[in-house]
Amino acid sequence: MHSPNAIPSPTMSYSSITTEVDPLIERRSDSSLTRVSSTSTSHSERHSDYNDVVRDIIIGFADGLTVPFALCAGLSTLGDTRLVVMGGLAELFSGAISMGLGAYLAASTEKDHYHSEEAREWDEVTHKPEAERQEIYDILAQYHISHKAATPLVNELCKNPEMWVRFMMHFELKLECPETSRAWLSALTMGMSYFIGGLIPMIPYFMMKRAGDALLVSVVITALILLAFGYVKTVVTVHSRSAGVWGALQTLLIGALAAGASYGIVRALDSGSRQP
Amino acid sequence: MHSPNAIPSPTMSYSSITTEVDPLIERRSDSSLTRVSSTSTSHSERHSDYNDVVRDIIIGFADGLTVPFALCAGLSTLGDTRLVVMGGLAELFSGAISMGLGAYLAASTEKDHYHSEEAREWDEVTHKPEAERQEIYDILAQYHISHKAATPLVNELCKNPEMWVRFMMHFELKLECPETSRAWLSALTMGMSYFIGGLIPMIPYFMMKRAGDALLVSVVITALILLAFGYVKTVVTVHSRSAGVWGALQTLLIGALAAGASYGIVRALDSGSRQP
């Protein structure tokens, strides 16, 4: 759905998906995720990798199911399935490339951003330690921690500049160092999911000669998939079946509006240009 | 670029954009953002709103500049500008709808996710206080804070369940309550930016009769805009001009690959279907 934050962060989806696990154990392994190295193959790490993949699939699939489907619906009004297939495939390939490489570029920019902020934080810890010290108090004061109760922690943290900077990165700037080791895998997963999501609504146009018939079959198939996909996606994130039903309907609505707009525009322009 | 995280969070872009401000003052107002209410019109709040808008514009514009441009390049090989305009406009409208409404839906799902996790956290704080207490120690241990230095803070935090839950939401689950008050504005900004970004490369097809000529003008205009846009976007995020040049080239490369793929596919399919 082209959306910048269709699914919360990997950590979130991790805690969302493993609902069978006792919440306590789950949270434990959750917070330990930040401690395991990227080369580790511990249980929780593998879980996190798994959920990153699920997240990439969801984002790519959602986007792929909507726009190529809508474009094909629009082009189908011209009555030529060959044209629908050409336009649809062109959008499918360019969309998948743009999405996959765009995600890769975003991940690498994000990493640069993290390091640029980290360097600034080191500079401040080194050259303005008193002001940075005060900022720890300020952060903790947001949780009504008194100056007195915070002091032992502040004293200990300020003795270890590396941990001090890490604390400020996480709690002041709310930045986590993004992993780019798997950015290529992520780009590939997302691009492929976009491609597959967009290919499904096009299958009828490959197989049927009359564009109107193919459109009908495409609409029915895509509507069912959008409903199922919207339901699963929402239940996984919100843990509620009634929210899932709403999510399914909303996902369908977006697809319907996009396809309706596309259909209406091509039809209007086509009939307009055919008039004497 | 269809990417889920093309630009870091509002807080990040806030700290990135205001480079003229003294870093210390900037950080101060930055961390105070979490304290101001959504109806406040304080200085920092207005800044944050401003940067949310900039972020939405960037995401929408990047996506719009790439895919509709690529699709039009592909369709132009069929030699009929009327067809390019119809296909391009259909993609433009459906893409803008999908992007805008998709972002709105994502924001509302994210809010539901936050509240569902918050309810779980309240439950744990109420029914398993000892385990949750230990988790505060675990979180702080990641920054090498000893049990002894953490104890006064833990004792104070556990006396105030509301702050305790808030602390766990932010520091354990790393979730911030997403603002949905401006979700509609965000959806509109993003959708409109997609539309405008996608409309620019199409203008030559509106004005010129020969599709080949229009393609040439469209490629030149879009290449220049992609370069400028990639540069500005990267410099704003990473604070480095050399990174900006790389960002410009990478953004151009993605657009070129997407358009090249689209062009190649339509051309190949078209010449294939014309053969006897």
Side-chain angles (χ1 to χ4, degrees):
Chain A
M1 257 162 280
H2 295 252
S3 66
N5 44 9
I7 283 293
S9 81
T11 323
M12 295 183 223
S13 42
Y14 172 75
S15 67
S16 321
I17 289 167
T18 56
T19 40
E20 320 83 349
V21 186
D22 177 281
L24 193 68
I25 303 172
E26 177 203 339
R27 294 296 163 75
R28 235 5 107 62
S29 46
D30 219 1
S31 59
S32 73
L33 279 180
T34 48
R35 270 173 288 174
V36 293
S37 85
S38 60
T39 52
S40 152
T41 50
S42 76
H43 179 70
S44 48
E45 178 70 6
R46 265 180 286 125
H47 253 287
S48 160
D49 267 3
Y50 166 76
N51 288 300
D52 280 355
V53 171
V54 170
R55 178 177 148 267
D56 291 340
I57 290 175
I58 289 179
I59 294 172
F61 201 69
D63 208 2
L65 264 180
T66 310
V67 185
F69 159 64
L71 177 68
C72 289
L75 291 177
S76 75
T77 68
L78 301 176
D80 183 357
T81 51
R82 198 182 62 102
L83 196 65
V84 176
V85 166
M86 285 195 289
L89 284 179
E91 141 74 36
L92 216 54
F93 275 91
S94 50
I97 289 172
S98 168
M99 181 163 218
L101 292 185
Y104 178 78
L105 183 56
S108 91
T109 307
E110 218 184 308
K111 186 157 197 168
D112 291 347
H113 176 71
Y114 181 89
H115 290 309
S116 130
E117 291 293 327
E118 193 180 39
R120 217 149 85 162
E121 208 58 57
W122 266 107
D123 188 65
E124 287 176 26
V125 160
T126 314
H127 297 107
K128 299 172 183 168
E130 276 315 308
E132 282 294 298
R133 231 181 117 86
Q134 181 56 42
E135 285 189 18
I136 310 175
Y137 284 111
D138 293 347
I139 292 166
L140 296 173
Q142 291 173 31
Y143 305 90
H144 297 196
I145 305 293
S146 68
H147 199 278
K148 196 180 155 205
T151 299
L153 180 145
V154 173
N155 287 339
E156 212 170 274
L157 193 60
C158 294
K159 281 185 201 140
N160 188 338
E162 201 179 325
M163 289 301 134
W164 189 359
V165 168
R166 193 204 265 193
F167 184 90
M168 299 311 276
M169 291 302 289
H170 290 174
F171 295 161
E172 186 202 10
L173 299 182
K174 282 153 190 165
L175 292 179
E176 296 277 337
C177 186
E179 267 186 58
T180 46
S181 58
R182 58 178 297 291
W184 275 113
L185 178 67
S186 171
L188 202 70
T189 313
M190 219 182 267
M192 285 290 291
S193 308
Y194 180 90
F195 194 86
I196 294 168
L199 198 61
I200 298 170
M202 281 185 63
I203 294 174
Y205 299 101
F206 288 118
M207 300 171 67
M208 298 167 84
K209 266 204 164 169
R210 287 182 49 182
D213 297 348
L215 171 65
L216 209 71
V217 179
S218 174
V219 165
V220 172
I221 293 174
T222 311
L224 291 175
I225 296 178
L226 282 171
L227 280 173
F229 175 70
Y231 179 81
V232 171
K233 190 182 68 169
T234 314
V235 167
V236 155
T237 320
V238 190
H239 317 281
S240 146
R241 288 190 182 181
S242 59
V245 173
W246 264 113
L249 292 175
Q250 285 173 314
T251 306
L252 178 64
L253 182 70
I254 294 175
L257 284 176
S262 168
Y263 185 90
I265 285 157
V266 179
R267 207 182 168 98
L269 288 177
D270 187 44
S271 67
S273 65
R274 277 191 193 168
Q275 261 157 29
Chain B
M1 256 162 281
H2 295 251
S3 66
N5 44 9
I7 282 293
S9 82
T11 323
M12 295 183 223
S13 43
Y14 173 75
S15 67
S16 322
I17 289 167
T18 56
T19 40
E20 318 84 348
V21 186
D22 177 281
L24 193 68
I25 303 172
E26 177 202 339
R27 294 296 164 75
R28 237 3 108 62
S29 47
D30 219 0
S31 58
S32 73
L33 279 180
T34 47
R35 270 172 289 174
V36 293
S37 85
S38 60
T39 52
S40 153
T41 50
S42 76
H43 179 70
S44 49
E45 178 69 5
R46 265 180 286 125
H47 253 286
S48 160
D49 267 3
Y50 165 76
N51 288 299
D52 281 354
V53 171
V54 170
R55 178 177 146 267
D56 292 340
I57 290 175
I58 289 179
I59 294 173
F61 200 68
D63 209 2
L65 264 180
T66 310
V67 185
F69 159 64
L71 177 68
C72 289
L75 292 176
S76 75
T77 67
L78 301 175
D80 183 357
T81 51
R82 197 182 63 101
L83 196 66
V84 176
V85 166
M86 285 196 289
L89 284 179
E91 141 75 35
L92 216 54
F93 276 92
S94 50
I97 288 172
S98 168
M99 181 163 217
L101 292 186
Y104 178 78
L105 183 57
S108 91
T109 307
E110 218 185 308
K111 187 157 196 167
D112 291 347
H113 175 71
Y114 181 89
H115 290 308
S116 129
E117 291 294 328
E118 193 180 39
R120 216 148 85 163
E121 208 59 57
W122 265 106
D123 188 65
E124 287 176 26
V125 160
T126 314
H127 296 108
K128 298 173 182 169
E130 276 314 308
E132 282 295 298
R133 231 180 118 84
Q134 180 55 43
E135 285 189 18
I136 309 175
Y137 284 112
D138 293 347
I139 292 167
L140 296 173
Q142 291 172 32
Y143 305 90
H144 297 195
I145 304 292
S146 68
H147 199 279
K148 196 180 155 204
T151 298
L153 179 145
V154 173
N155 286 340
E156 212 170 274
L157 193 60
C158 294
K159 280 185 201 139
N160 188 338
E162 201 179 324
M163 289 301 134
W164 189 359
V165 168
R166 193 204 266 193
F167 185 90
M168 300 311 277
M169 291 303 288
H170 290 173
F171 295 162
E172 186 202 10
L173 300 182
K174 284 157 188 160
L175 292 179
E176 297 277 337
C177 186
E179 267 186 59
T180 45
S181 57
R182 58 178 297 290
W184 275 113
L185 178 67
S186 171
L188 202 71
T189 313
M190 219 181 268
M192 285 290 291
S193 308
Y194 181 90
F195 194 86
I196 293 167
L199 198 61
I200 297 170
M202 282 185 62
I203 294 174
Y205 299 102
F206 288 118
M207 300 170 67
M208 299 168 84
K209 266 205 164 169
R210 287 182 49 183
D213 296 349
L215 171 65
L216 209 72
V217 179
S218 174
V219 165
V220 172
I221 293 175
T222 311
L224 291 175
I225 297 178
L226 282 171
L227 280 173
F229 175 69
Y231 179 80
V232 170
K233 190 182 68 168
T234 313
V235 167
V236 155
T237 320
V238 190
H239 317 281
S240 146
R241 287 189 183 183
S242 59
V245 173
W246 264 113
L249 292 175
Q250 285 173 314
T251 306
L252 177 64
L253 182 70
I254 295 175
L257 284 176
S262 168
Y263 185 90
I265 285 158
V266 179
R267 207 181 168 99
L269 288 176
D270 187 43
S271 67
S273 65
R274 277 192 194 169
Q275 263 157 28

